Amino acid sequence: MSAAGPSLEVDIGALHLKNPVLAASGTAGFGREYAHFAPLFGAIVAKSVTLGPRAGNPPPRLVETACGLLNSIGLENPGVEAFLRDELPAARGLGVPIVASIAGETAAEYGELARTVSRADGVAAIEVNISCPNVARGGMLFGVDPAQAAAAVGAARAATRLPLIAKLTPNVTDVCAVARAVVDAGADAVALINTVAGMAIDAERRRPVLGGVFGGLSGPAIKPIALRMVWLVAEAIDRPVIGMGGICDARDAVEFILAGAAAVGVGTATFVDPGAAARVVDGIRAYLVEAGARSLRDIIGAARRWRDAARA
Ligand code: RRO
């Protein structure tokens, strides 16, 4: 521990983070919207972009559920060229690494997106989003099948030297099979979980609430699902895991880190409190001080060692 307290630094492949708290994709726009809080993050993961602009799904696109939020945004974004031209220059000035997030309809599109994004100045890493639940083509269809997931990540890998983070869906039987497949295809890290497929029905109007009928559930309701999957995947692969799903405070984040996550994403909590991630960073530091840990690295996966500790 230095005089400044325990180190929160962590490396996700070649991506160096000053702290392990990332703004989850889709919840901080392209960073500019979040300028006031941005410097506090380890990194900002931008909203996923596609080759061309997308208008997204019909409204309503958001509905609150018990302890959660269902979204059916439908990958609304201005397209990769507009992201690089109109958004990245401002985001770059925020003083925090910007992770671009890409979503293709074919494996070849993932390659093209990765190539295009890598040519720009100021992208620190690429999230390969193979887990959007709200589109008819691409998205989660890649992430539910290990071979398709590997094809998308492999195409991106062939097109860039930037660190690649594969974003996984929980809507699968065997998340570890997908995690292993994307690592074999060249992912430097995995992030999980994306949202859990769900829906809401309006009993008075006798129809689905969301314009897109189905949506993706986020928020505290999904935290136990996410924790289990992070635990499983951290054991299955020898790459860093970025854990997310319902993290609202530092205690939640620490639980993910103890389960094996090297970093965490904060997303939906930001809609309740834009300062949520800053609170999480401070709280992780306080936890480390309390635990007498010198560094975040000392506690990554610590709960995995509970059997050994019980025996000792
Ligand atoms: O835009 C969306 O509807 C969306 C995306 Br790309 C995603 O990855 N996860 C999600 O819940 N919504």
Side-chain angles (χ1 to χ4, degrees), residues 168 176 179-183 189-190 232-241:
L168 306 187
C176 293
R180 282 190 211 99
V182 297
V183 166
V190 300
L232 290 170
V233 169
E235 182 135 306
I237 63 172
D238 62 355
R239 296 285 188 285
V241 172

Side-chain angles (χ1 to χ4, degrees), residues 47-48 71-76 129 131-134 194-195 216:
K47 172 70 181 167
S48 301
N71 87 80
S72 174
I73 306 302
L75 247 175
E76 178 186 349
N129 185 353
S131 47
C132 173
N134 298 327
N194 206 320
T195 51

Side-chain angles (χ1 to χ4, degrees), residues 268-288:
T268 305
T270 302
F271 297 140
V272 181
D273 170 12
R279 277 194 291 104
V280 171
V281 174
D282 289 345
I284 294 173
R285 187 177 294 108
Y287 179 91
L288 292 174

Side-chain angles (χ1 to χ4, degrees), residues 70 199-210 213:
L70 270 171
M199 76 177 295
I201 288 184
D202 183 330
E204 278 68 47
R205 299 173 67 213
R206 300 192 171 185
R207 51 173 293 173
V209 175
L210 293 168
V213 181

Side-chain angles (χ1 to χ4, degrees), residues 21-78:
V21 180
L22 279 60
S25 177
T27 61
F30 293 108
R32 184 162 48 96
E33 298 87 335
Y34 220 58
H36 180 63
F37 295 99
L40 305 171
F41 285 100
I44 289 186
V45 187
K47 172 70 181 167
S48 301
V49 292
T50 48
L51 277 181
R54 282 181 61 101
N57 287 344
R61 291 172 165 186
L62 292 176
V63 57
E64 279 190 58
T65 61
C67 297
L69 179 70
L70 270 171
N71 87 80
S72 174
I73 306 302
L75 247 175
E76 178 186 349
N77 79 94

